[in-house]
Amino acid sequence: AFYDAVNEIYLMSQSLTREDSLTAKFWAYEIFTPGESSAGSAYNDVSHPANMAAQIMQQKEFSLQEAAVLFCKHGMAGYDAGISAVKTKFHYNLVRPITYIRNVLGHKEWSPVIPTPPFPEYTSGHAVVSCAYATVLEDAFGKNFKFTDHTFENTYGPRSFDSFEAYATEAALSRLKGGIHYRFAMDEGLKQGRKVAGMVTQLKFKK
């Protein structure tokens, strides 16, 4: 089963479309700052979701108090999800695809679309964190809320989603297409992020 999970990534890498590669780079934020890691980019998996949330709150004409509460829940869910993901990574300490593909499958020259981070694979941080953010927004605006992200409009163009779940799933899938995560790490990461955020959305704030 593990062999199949790794081989899926290798086979996928042989037939990626241009759009697949751009999606992987979009969510890695490398398309905007070539040669830098996402940690060094102007936007990353913390500031980008916050900017998306801000756009929707502006559209919905949130009051300052409403925005403060939602930003609080949004931030708490995302950061707690990040802590949960890192704890999981170092508990399971799972090998990254590049190591298995080169050393076991024997494709010595293979490289992923985006750089492999220097820490364990499981679960996918993008999946965990993105679903946590998406769950908070889903709680505030509904499951079938359609929206367009204009964060990188000048560089990449607007990116539209039919729901918050669709946005989280694309962010998670980008890591599979990028060659740095297995599908099961993506699937379980989405569940993990939703579970963390579920505890945050239950919080009640005094007016």
Side-chain angles (χ1 to χ4, degrees):
F2 189 72
Y3 174 93
D4 290 341
V6 185
N7 198 42
E8 178 188 19
I9 294 172
Y10 175 74
L11 293 176
M12 184 182 294
S13 73
Q14 304 306 296
S15 59
L16 286 177
T17 65
R18 180 176 181 275
E19 181 59 31
D20 288 333
S21 295
L22 288 177
T23 297
K25 293 177 180 179
F26 175 89
W27 289 104
Y29 308 108
E30 296 203 347
I31 194 169
F32 313 104
T33 51
E36 293 184 9
S37 68
S38 59
S41 304
Y43 279 90
N44 52 42
D45 54 3
V46 173
S47 53
H48 181 203
N51 195 51
M52 284 194 284
Q55 292 174 61
I56 297 169
M57 283 187 268
Q58 285 182 318
Q59 177 188 332
K60 289 295 186 179
E61 298 183 341
F62 266 38
S63 67
L64 181 59
Q65 178 175 318
E66 290 172 326
V69 170
L70 185 52
F71 267 133
C72 183
K73 289 184 176 182
H74 192 258
M76 289 171 65
Y79 277 93
D80 279 358
I83 293 169
S84 175
V86 171
K87 183 176 181 180
T88 304
K89 287 177 180 295
F90 284 93
H91 175 78
Y92 290 101
N93 199 31
L94 189 63
V95 65
R96 288 278 183 170
I98 189 171
T99 302
Y100 195 100
I101 289 173
R102 288 183 175 181
N103 297 342
V104 179
L105 299 189
H107 306 293
K108 301 294 184 181
E109 303 301 318
W110 185 88
S111 292
V113 174
I114 56 179
T116 297
F119 44 80
E121 189 274 342
Y122 180 85
T123 47
S124 165
H126 259 49
V128 180
V129 172
S130 296
C131 198
Y133 285 132
T135 299
V136 170
L137 296 179
E138 185 178 283
D139 181 67
F141 301 108
K143 288 190 174 183
N144 299 312
F145 186 90
K146 296 182 179 182
F147 69 100
T148 299
D149 174 24
H150 298 279
T151 304
F152 305 117
E153 189 167 55
N154 293 335
T155 306
Y156 192 85
R159 205 167 186 88
S160 297
F161 302 95
D162 289 332
S163 65
F164 297 113
E165 183 178 26
Y167 128 60
T169 300
E170 181 181 286
L173 188 59
S174 74
R175 313 307 264 180
L176 181 71
K177 293 179 177 180
I180 66 171
H181 276 300
Y182 311 113
R183 185 176 295 276
F184 62 80
M186 177 191 91
D187 291 342
E188 294 305 313
L190 290 170
K191 296 176 187 176
Q192 185 176 354
R194 185 170 289 279
K195 187 171 184 179
V196 171
M199 291 184 279
V200 176
T201 57
Q202 294 175 21
L203 297 174
K204 302 299 181 182
F205 288 75
K206 293 182 178 180
K207 295 183 178 181

